């Protein structure tokens, strides 16, 4: 590929794979393609919807990697997205599909 402009990284930082592997991948991209733009769309967990005890720790540790290696980082709060679905869109019990559709609309409006 001769016309590479940059990279988009999508991850959630609550779990080990999104936090650990995402940070490692972002760091390797930063080392190997230092001048290329790296844009990260990162979903942060909320305490009310948490599925694991270690989510806050993973989030804090990953934030350092995002600040260090990403050129642009768009933070998406899981709880705020859930509240938008329930309050503004009238979905009484949003599924992950509902949350993901809303996130996809936000991302597509930023990258269009």
């Amino acid at each position: 590929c001769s016309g590479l402009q940059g990279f988009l990284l999508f991850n959630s930082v609550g779990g080990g794979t999104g936090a650990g592997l995402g940070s490692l991948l972002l760091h390797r991209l930063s080392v190997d393609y230092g001048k290329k733009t790296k844009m990260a769309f990162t979903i942060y967990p909320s305490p009310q919807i948490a599925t694991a005890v270690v989510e806050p720790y993973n989030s804090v540790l990953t934030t350092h990697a995002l600040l260090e290696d990403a050129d642009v980082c768009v933070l998406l709060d899981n709880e705020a997205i859930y509240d938008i679905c329930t309050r503004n869109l009238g979905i009484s019990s949003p599924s992950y599909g509902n949350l993901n559709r809303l996130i996809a609309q936000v991302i597509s409006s930023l990258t269009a």
Side-chain angles (χ1 to χ4, degrees):
C1 179
S2 62
L4 181 66
Q5 292 182 353
F7 298 94
L8 297 176
L9 176 71
F10 302 90
N11 68 328
S12 173
V13 297
T17 304
L21 183 64
S23 297
L24 178 65
L25 179 63
L26 187 60
H27 180 68
R28 288 305 312 162
L29 289 173
S30 184
V31 169
D32 295 342
Y33 301 94
K35 300 229 181 229
K36 300 298 179 186
T37 302
K38 290 160 293 300
M39 189 171 186
F41 293 94
T42 305
I43 300 173
Y44 271 75
S46 72
Q48 281 73 23
I49 314 173
T51 57
V53 179
V54 295
E55 285 182 358
Y57 303 107
N58 289 340
S59 301
V60 169
L61 294 172
T62 304
T63 301
H64 174 71
L66 289 170
L67 290 171
E68 185 98 3
D69 296 321
D71 296 314
V72 177
C73 188
V74 178
L75 302 178
L76 301 162
D77 180 23
N78 214 8
E79 186 175 359
I81 294 166
Y82 191 85
D83 287 343
I84 289 170
C85 284
T86 56
R87 292 183 188 161
N88 298 13
L89 300 178
I91 303 169
S92 60
S93 180
S95 66
Y96 284 119
N98 298 122
L99 300 175
N100 288 338
R101 261 186 249 114
L102 183 57
I103 291 168
Q105 287 179 339
V106 169
I107 291 171
S108 68
S109 69
L110 291 173
T111 58

